[in-house]
Amino acid sequence: MGRKKDPAPLGKKRYARALEELQVELCHLQEWVKQSGERVVVVFEGRDAAGKGGVIKRITERVSPRVFRTVALPKPDDREASQLYMQRYIRHLPAAGEIVLFDRSWYNRAGVERVMGFCSEEEAARFLKLTPIFERYLIDDGIRLIKYFFDVSREVQAARFRDRASDPRKHWKLSPMDIESARRWWAYSSAYAEMIAATDTEAAPWIRVPADEKRRARLNCIADLLARIPYAAADFDAPAFPERGRRPEGVPESLPFQHQVPARF
C-alpha cells in the first residue's frame, strides 16, 4: 500500500467555525469545573516551535484566567535551584475549581536540562525514575493529569525558526536555546524517547499531537482535552437587567477627563 496522503490544510473559515464551537465547549467545561470543584492539570511539552503556545492561547482566550491558569516558569533562580526539584512546580498545582496549563513543566529536566547539560545524567535518571511516582500521587489525590507532546518535523521546525527570524513580531520567540535545539535535534530525539519510555504510564499516558499543521493541531488537541473530561453543559439563566433610572441632579452626563488618547487611526 502507498503512503496515506496528508489531509488538505484547513481553510481559515472552517478553522474559525470549528474553533468557535470548541471554545463554547471550553466555557461549559469551565462552569462544570467551578461547580464540581475539579482540579485539572494539563502539561504541554514537545519540540521547540511545535505550537504549544498557540494552542494554549486558543484555549484561554475565551475563558476566565481565574479558572484556566497558565504557568510558564522562567529558569530557576539561585534559591529555587537549591530546592527539591519539583518544589517550584508543586506550588502552582490547582485548587478546587481550577485548570492549570503548564507551558512546559517538570519535564524540562528530561528535555532541555539534560540535553543542554544543565543537570547531570544522575539527576536526569533520578527524575525519570521518580516522576511516575509523583504523578501517581497527584492522580490518587484526585487531580486529573493530562500530558500532551507536540511533535513537529525537522523541516517544519526549521521553517518556523526562519519565520521568527524574519518577523519582528516574533523575534522574542527566537532564543539562543532555539538555535541549539535545531542543531541538537538528534540529542533531543534520544532524550525524548527515553522520557516517553519511562513516563508513559497507564495512569498518566503521553498523548502525541502531530503539529506540522498548526490549525489542525490546535483543534485536535482542544477536542481531545474536552473528550477526556466528563463535563456537562450547565444551563445559563440570563439575568434581567434593571432600568438605569434618571440622572440625579449634579451628576455629569460624561466623566470629566482632561486627557484622551489621540485618534491616530
Side-chain angles (χ1 to χ4, degrees):
M1 292 179 64
R3 181 180 178 274
K4 185 179 179 180
K5 293 181 65 176
D6 292 331
L10 281 174
K12 287 185 178 180
K13 289 185 178 179
R14 182 182 169 197
Y15 167 72
R17 284 196 302 269
L19 180 60
E20 182 178 352
E21 292 173 1
L22 291 171
Q23 288 177 332
V24 169
E25 292 302 315
L26 287 169
C27 291
H28 291 321
L29 170 62
Q30 170 179 258
E31 192 60 30
W32 179 82
V33 166
K34 286 166 57 179
Q35 292 183 11
S36 66
E38 286 284 324
R39 294 173 294 159
V40 182
V41 169
V42 188
V43 167
F44 292 90
E45 290 289 341
R47 300 277 191 179
D48 288 317
K52 298 176 294 296
V55 73
I56 291 171
K57 178 180 177 181
R58 273 68 187 185
I59 290 172
T60 58
E61 66 184 353
R62 298 294 183 180
V63 292
S64 170
R66 290 182 291 276
V67 177
F68 283 80
R69 292 196 292 110
T70 301
V71 176
L73 299 183
K75 73 175 186 178
D77 58 27
D78 291 342
R79 182 173 183 276
E80 290 172 328
S82 71
Q83 294 174 342
L84 182 73
Y85 177 72
M86 292 291 190
Q87 192 167 338
R88 73 187 193 123
Y89 296 101
I90 290 172
R91 73 178 61 136
H92 293 284
L93 292 175
E98 293 181 344
I99 299 174
V100 173
L101 312 176
F102 278 99
D103 186 355
R104 294 209 180 276
S105 65
W106 45 87
Y107 282 100
N108 273 342
R109 173 132 296 182
V112 64
E113 289 190 16
R114 185 180 189 185
V115 173
M116 299 303 297
F118 299 150
C119 71
S120 67
E121 280 298 309
E122 291 76 14
E123 288 172 322
R126 178 175 170 79
F127 171 85
L128 293 177
K129 179 181 178 181
L130 294 180
T131 294
I133 301 172
F134 169 70
E135 293 179 350
R136 179 77 256 185
Y137 171 76
L138 298 183
I139 294 164
D140 287 348
D141 198 60
I143 290 176
R144 293 183 183 273
L145 175 61
I146 303 169
K147 303 187 306 191
Y148 291 112
F149 189 94
F150 278 65
D151 201 9
V152 70
S153 65
R154 293 179 68 190
E155 296 75 18
V156 170
Q157 184 191 66
R160 290 178 184 174
F161 283 157
R162 288 193 293 269
D163 180 55
R164 291 178 180 185
S166 63
D167 188 341
R169 300 169 300 173
K170 299 179 182 179
H171 287 173
W172 64 274
K173 291 185 175 184
L174 191 62
S175 69
M177 211 67 68
D178 291 327
I179 305 303
E180 279 299 307
S181 73
R183 188 170 71 85
R184 303 191 189 204
W185 174 272
W186 296 117
Y188 272 101
S189 295
S190 176
Y192 284 142
E194 189 171 345
M195 177 192 83
I196 293 165
T199 61
D200 185 22
T201 64
E202 184 177 352
W206 279 108
I207 306 154
R208 178 178 177 264
V209 181
D212 276 3
E213 188 190 340
K214 286 184 178 181
R215 291 174 185 165
R216 187 166 268 114
R218 292 166 185 167
L219 298 181
N220 286 335
C221 183
I222 297 172
D224 186 83
L225 174 62
L226 290 164
R228 289 177 185 276
I229 303 175
Y231 71 98
D235 293 331
F236 177 73
D237 295 323
F241 291 95
E243 295 291 332
R244 182 165 49 184
R246 296 181 61 183
R247 177 167 60 91
E249 186 176 348
V251 176
E253 183 70 34
S254 59
L255 299 177
F257 288 108
Q258 299 298 313
H259 304 281
Q260 179 171 297
V261 296
R264 294 187 172 93
F265 299 95

